[in-house]
Structures are given as structure tokens and as C-alpha cells.
Amino acid sequence: MEVLPTSSPVFMVHRREPEFIAPSKPTPHEFKYLSDIDDRKGHRFHFPAIFFYPSKTDDASTASTCKGKDPVDVIRKALAKVLVFYYPLAGRLREAPGDKLIVECTGEGIMFIEADADVCLNRLGGGDALKPPFPCLEELLYVPPGYQDFLNSPLLFIQVTRLICGGFIFGVQFNHTIFGGPGLGRFMIALGEIVRGEVSPSIPPAWQRHILNARDPPQVTFDHREYDATMSDNNTLPLLIPQEIDYRYFFFTGKEEGALRAQLPVHLQACSAFELLTACLWRCRTVALGSDPKARVRVVMAVDTRWKIKPPLPAGYYGNTMVYPAAVSTTEKLSRNPFGFAVDLVKKAKNEVNGEYIRSTADLMATKGRPIISTEGTYFVSDVRKTPDEMIDLGWGKELYGGCAIDNQCATLWMSSFYMSYRNNKGDEGILVPVGLPRLAMNKFVVEIQSMTMIKPSVQGLHPKTSQLTSLIYRKSAL
């Protein structure tokens, strides 16, 4: 795979002046409260996502409906139409008493940037499939100066960048209090339907954020270890800066999954692939970092509760529904116990999540000042794998990549990993996981992974100075 440098631009982007896109028809002027899950302090920032589209698709079942048309013009017009249905997104956030957030539906619109880049998609992906970290990401996502404040600013910043090969890149930065990844996906699906000629979204958007407000009176019924401010005075895990970190990909298929499952007692062998992989990465990372044996460490998992809430949320609900359960251990216990110990901790933490868990989280937000998840001794994991049905057709076929917009300058990438569906050049399918660690710790991490899987991996360095290639393999399995 070609590894493009991230320290200097490899292509140039020319942007037009930003413009506002308002709903194409009049919309109500009203005030809409966010839920207590939405407006937690940890959501008060703009989250970046990016989608890459070729000039045409080779898949006849998703043949392009917009071939030969200008993607900027098509998407600009479709955005104005879809905002009629998602009209709160054209408003602005306001603060209310009690640290609550409200959307004033002003109809001012979202911010749109038209751009052109002197690069082809195949240069961004080389001979391999597209995957983060992406070069020159700051050229493909844009928030103009003066709009960094999450209050009183547009709720979406969208840049559509034409490529010289005829493809394009859809970059978006969205206010995380309005929705998370699943909510963005719902909006993007609706946008794609409008692009392809539908007059309205097939699933009408639903606000109804009151469903996930704190109860009266609040009842915090779980421990919520993810919000523990300080777990141990002896914790020695360092807060590192990105320049000190070595980033690499790890690719897992069924062969390694089988090796990991073989180490588990019978009662744990039916664990999900997510639980298996999370326990393995958490354990190997903890050993590699070599913190104080008595220090507490945790893995925090992003878990969607949408399908666990009763009564069910409306089909078109696009608010935040994620919770973040944590598995906690000391370094000594996690590293010295059999692998099943880590799997059992992860499985129990994840299985705690139900409809009551998200309601308990809402109650915690309302009663404890909307705390932020502690980063002390914490490793974050998120499963962003997609099925073909979840991919988004904006009229040019489904994306080559769609999801987190990550580059090597991301200050928190060393603390987190996300799981992506991936197929390599040989046709092997599995899960690709970026991991960031200090260089010496990364070397230890690779040794630990080799030992856990009993396979010699090949390692692919994310850092431009890394020439080795690592590959660990894994078959997709239901979460």
C-alpha cells in the first residue's frame, strides 16, 4: 500500500466562498429542546466524517443515477430540499437554564463549501482500499474562522470536493449534540433519496427528544464507571502528544479469531467477535504500556441502545442513542490472568446495556452536571463496521469509504480504536483496526498480539516513517 505523508500537502484544494443553504420551503420557527443524552458536555464539539465517491460504479445493481452531472450542483439542490424535512438542522443552538441546550429553528441554513482538488481517488487509496488516516484532511473538511463555537453557529458544515478523475469527496463536520454517527447516517440516507429523485425521505425524521430526558425524579441505577473522575492515585499511564505516537493497522480474519477463541473456557466461546477483539486489544495494549501493576485501566465501548429502548423509539429518530459502558481492571489482573478474564469483563460490561442503562445515563447527566467520560487509564473502542445495506448512495453509487475522518494529527487517536470492515488486495475480508502507541510500546504490542494469535502477522505502518507491514486477520461476526 502506498503510504502518503501527512506532514505536508500531497494535493491542492481550491475552495469557493462558503455559502448558506436554507430549506427550499418555509419551515416552522420554533424552539426544540435536546435530550439529556444529546446535550452532555462530551458532545459539545463538531465531529468530522467523510465519504469518498467514484465517478461511476462497477456494480450494476447500484448503477449511477447522476452520471455526467456536477455533484456540487446536485447535492446543493438536494440539501435545500432535505432540510425542509430536517428543518431543525437549519437552526442554531441556544443555552437555557440548567445547562440545557435548545435548537432555535431559525431556517438560517447549514454552511456549504464548493471545492476542487487536483488529485484522483486512486492516489488516495493506492493499490489498496481507502482507509484512514487520510492525507490533507484539513483540505477536505472546513469550518471557517469565527464559527468554531458550537453555539450560535451552523449545525452542519459540508464541503463537496470534485476530483480530477470525476469522483468527489463529501466532507461534513456536524454538531455532535444534534446527532451521532447513526443519526448522520439517517440524514445522509434521506439526502441520497432526494438526490435520486424521491420527493421525501422514505422514513420521515422524528425529533421527540423528550423520550431520552431524565426521569422525574432521576434514578441513577448503574455504577457508570465510565464517568469515574479518578480511578487510582497510582495510575501512571501518560497523557501523550500525537508526535510521540506510532500508528499502525491491524487486520483480523477468521484464522486469528479461531486462535483467540481456542484460549477461552467453554462458557465464553460463544462471545461475539466484538467482545473477543476488544478484550484482546485492551489486554495487549495494557501490557505494552507497562503501567503500575496496581493502576486501574478500563476499556470504554460505544454501544447503540436504539433497539433496546422500550417503548421503541420512532423509526425516524435521529438523536444520540449511544452509551459508553466500561470494563475495569487493574493492570496486574488484566495482564496476568488467562485471556478469558478480559473477555468476561468486556462481555459483562457490554451486556449491562439495556433500555434502563440509557435512562440511568440521562438521570446521571441531569444530576451530576453532565460529566465527561474520564480519559485516565482509558482505551476507547467503537465498532463502525457497515453492511452493504448501510452504505449511502448519493446518486453516484455507494461510497468507497464512509465514516470517521481521521488523520495522523488526531490528538486522541492514541487513546482509541475503531473497527472497520475491510477487504485487502488478496480478497481477504475482515476487520481493520488502527492502533496508536508510543514507538517502544508499539513494538511490545505487536509481540503481544503475535503471542495471543500464535500467528506471525505482517504489519502495516500508519506513520510515514514506518516501513513494516502488520496484518492480523478476522472473520466478520455478529456484534
Side-chain angles (χ1 to χ4, degrees):
M1 182 192 87
E2 181 185 5
V3 180
L4 299 175
T6 59
S7 57
S8 60
V10 295
F11 58 86
M12 298 296 295
V13 173
H14 173 67
R15 292 190 182 101
R16 300 338 191 248
E17 285 296 317
E19 60 186 284
F20 288 104
I21 296 180
S24 60
K25 296 178 181 179
T27 55
H29 183 276
E30 56 191 10
F31 292 84
K32 289 184 173 289
Y33 276 87
L34 297 180
S35 77
D36 286 313
I37 296 298
D38 290 320
D39 65 7
R40 63 178 80 185
K41 290 180 179 176
H43 284 166
R44 299 184 182 194
F45 67 99
H46 291 106
F47 191 96
I50 197 162
F51 300 78
F52 294 82
Y53 290 91
S55 58
K56 62 180 180 180
T57 177
D58 295 326
D59 183 356
S61 66
T62 57
S64 169
T65 59
C66 295
K67 185 176 180 180
K69 296 181 181 179
D70 177 15
V72 170
D73 184 55
V74 170
I75 292 172
R76 180 192 284 117
K77 292 175 180 176
L79 283 168
K81 294 177 181 178
V82 79
L83 285 174
V84 173
F85 304 95
Y86 283 85
Y87 66 87
L89 302 184
R92 300 293 183 266
L93 277 182
R94 314 295 188 211
E95 281 188 303
D99 208 19
K100 285 295 296 176
L101 296 178
I102 305 175
V103 175
E104 182 180 359
C105 301
T106 62
E108 293 174 73
I110 63 174
M111 185 162 283
F112 183 82
I113 299 98
E114 173 183 352
D116 292 275
D118 62 348
V119 69
C120 288
L121 272 178
N122 61 5
R123 212 171 143 211
L124 299 178
D128 230 334
L130 280 162
K131 58 185 177 295
F134 300 111
C136 300
L137 194 59
E138 70 281 358
E139 297 291 331
L140 303 173
L141 297 158
Y142 188 55
V143 175
Y147 286 99
Q148 280 76 14
D149 186 0
F150 79 98
L151 285 176
N152 307 313
S153 290
L155 301 179
L156 283 84
F157 297 85
I158 292 174
Q159 178 176 319
V160 178
T161 305
R162 303 182 192 90
L163 306 175
I164 57 177
C165 58
F168 67 94
I169 300 170
F170 184 103
V172 56
Q173 299 205 60
F174 59 90
N175 192 306
H176 201 348
T177 64
I178 300 300
F179 46 51
L184 173 67
R186 202 161 291 275
F187 171 75
M188 292 285 291
I189 289 170
L191 174 63
E193 290 173 336
I194 299 298
V195 166
R196 300 194 306 274
E198 300 296 330
V199 297
S200 63
S202 58
I203 300 177
W207 187 262
Q208 296 179 259
R209 307 295 172 105
H210 65 279
I211 296 174
L212 295 183
N213 274 341
R215 294 170 286 201
D216 186 15
Q219 306 167 48
V220 180
T221 52
F222 287 83
D223 288 338
H224 295 290
R225 303 295 302 278
E226 61 271 30
Y227 295 103
D228 288 351
T230 302
M231 293 192 300
S232 171
D233 293 335
N234 296 322
N235 199 311
T236 59
L237 290 178
L239 292 176
L240 300 163
I241 59 175
Q243 287 81 356
E244 297 175 336
I245 304 302
D246 184 10
Y247 299 100
R248 303 191 191 184
Y249 284 119
F250 293 83
F251 182 45
F252 295 79
T253 65
K255 192 175 182 181
E256 286 71 24
E257 181 188 344
L260 291 172
R261 287 190 189 278
Q263 301 174 49
L264 298 177
V266 174
H267 73 282
L268 289 176
Q269 288 186 358
C271 69
S272 73
F274 174 84
E275 293 160 352
L276 187 76
L277 186 55
T278 297
C280 174
L281 292 167
W282 180 35
R283 187 177 190 272
C284 291
R285 184 179 184 275
T286 300
V287 172
L289 284 169
S291 61
D292 187 305
K294 303 302 181 185
R296 289 191 182 183
V297 291
R298 60 184 155 194
V299 60
V300 173
M301 298 162 277
V303 178
D304 193 356
T305 62
R306 170 179 294 276
W307 312 115
K308 301 176 184 290
I309 298 169
K310 296 181 180 180
L313 292 170
Y317 189 85
Y318 58 101
N320 287 283
T321 56
M322 305 296 287
V323 293
Y324 305 94
V328 181
S329 174
T330 63
T331 297
E332 184 176 46
K333 288 183 178 179
L334 186 64
S335 58
R336 295 185 181 179
N337 273 301
F339 178 47
F341 176 80
V343 173
D344 190 51
L345 289 178
V346 167
K347 187 177 179 65
K348 285 179 178 176
K350 180 171 169 285
N351 287 350
E352 266 197 327
V353 175
N354 54 26
E356 174 62 22
Y357 194 98
I358 194 170
R359 298 195 184 282
S360 177
T361 302
D363 294 343
L364 179 74
M365 293 297 119
T367 57
K368 301 294 183 181
R370 310 189 189 284
I372 296 174
I373 294 173
S374 175
T375 60
E376 183 183 356
T378 299
Y379 177 44
F380 296 90
V381 296
S382 180
D383 190 344
V384 296
R385 288 175 291 172
K386 291 182 177 182
T387 67
D389 289 341
E390 293 173 312
M391 299 174 73
I392 297 162
D393 183 354
L394 290 183
W396 282 263
K398 294 180 178 180
E399 75 267 20
L400 297 179
Y401 171 87
C404 304
I406 299 294
D407 67 7
N408 275 346
Q409 304 307 311
C410 179
T412 59
L413 185 56
W414 78 275
M415 297 170 55
S416 59
S417 293
F418 53 95
Y419 306 165
M420 302 178 290
S421 300
Y422 189 70
R423 175 185 293 175
N424 66 12
N425 286 334
K426 299 177 182 179
D428 299 321
E429 293 187 352
I431 288 184
L432 194 69
V433 184
V435 175
L437 286 168
R439 192 167 297 278
L440 290 178
M442 179 60 78
N443 293 337
K444 294 179 183 178
F445 181 82
V446 172
V447 171
E448 288 296 320
I449 288 285
Q450 289 177 348
S451 175
M452 290 284 295
T453 59
M454 297 177 291
I455 296 171
K456 285 188 178 180
S458 70
V459 176
Q460 179 174 3
L462 295 190
H463 194 281
K465 294 182 180 179
T466 301
S467 58
Q468 284 184 308
L469 205 64
T470 298
S471 182
L472 295 177
I473 309 187
Y474 161 81
R475 182 180 59 219
K476 284 192 282 189
S477 178
L479 193 66

